[in-house]
């Protein structure tokens, strides 16, 4: 049975991968071209990541956009 991924889960996954790769929030924001305060809010679950933001974060972290939605990345 597939589980539904929500926006909070994705923010937590992005932050976990960022920490695993020892990338600061400031650096990730710069590489993903997202304002730092916006990224910080998104990682805390305040608002949803846009598709464009998610694509840029995926590129900065060198993962596919689809990986945020798969059970394997949980």
């Amino acid at each position: 049975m597939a589980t539904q991924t929500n926006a909070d889960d994705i923010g937590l996954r992005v932050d976990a991968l960022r920490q695993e790769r020892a990338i600061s929030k400031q650096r990730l924001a710069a590489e993903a071209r997202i304002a730092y305060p916006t990224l910080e809010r998104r990682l805390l679950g305040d608002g949803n990541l846009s598709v464009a933001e998610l694509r840029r974060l995926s590129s900065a972290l060198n993962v596919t956009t689809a990986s945020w939605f798969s059970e394997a990345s949980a």
Side-chain angles (χ1 to χ4, degrees):
M1 177 179 207
T3 59
Q4 185 176 2
T5 301
N6 67 43
D8 291 341
D9 292 339
I10 294 172
L12 292 173
R13 289 180 183 188
V14 169
D15 202 37
L17 186 56
R18 175 195 66 78
Q19 290 177 38
E20 180 181 304
R21 296 192 176 175
I23 299 172
S24 71
K25 288 180 187 177
Q26 293 87 350
R27 179 175 157 207
L28 180 59
E31 289 185 15
R33 298 181 327 272
I34 299 172
Y36 175 74
T38 301
L39 177 65
E40 183 129 64
R41 286 192 310 270
R42 300 296 188 262
L43 296 182
L44 293 172
D46 182 12
N48 296 325
L49 288 160
S50 70
V51 172
E53 290 170 335
L54 195 54
R55 285 183 177 161
R56 292 193 308 265
L57 286 166
S58 298
S59 179
L61 292 167
N62 199 30
V63 297
T64 65
T65 303
S67 69
W68 303 117
F69 303 97
S70 69
E71 291 182 53
S73 64

